[in-house]
Amino acid sequence: MKTLLDQAKNSVVASKMGREQIEATVFRQTITRIILLASIFVSATALAGLSLTISTS
């Protein structure tokens, strides 16, 4: 009986840790995606500014 309780407790702890790990991974991926989008936006803006400067001069 006690071993069953221990196993249940261990699996609950394991699933909790797994969930935390998954959440951390998703969080990291989201941050990476935001940074990627931001850098794309910045480079696109820089290119637009550059082409505007070239066309006006």
Side-chain angles (χ1 to χ4, degrees), residues 3 5-6 9 12 14-15 17-18 21 27 30-31 38 42-43 46 53:
T3 51
L5 266 172
D6 284 343
K9 213 180 288 177
V12 165
S15 68
M17 279 175 68
Q21 217 160 8
F27 184 66
T30 308
I31 286 179
V42 165
S43 53
T53 313

Side-chain angles (χ1 to χ4, degrees), residues 2 6 12-13 26-27 29-31 36-37 45 50 54 56:
K2 193 173 186 286
D6 284 343
V12 165
V13 169
V26 169
F27 184 66
Q29 283 176 345
T30 308
I31 286 179
L36 198 68
L37 281 170
T45 311
L50 198 66
I54 290 167
T56 49

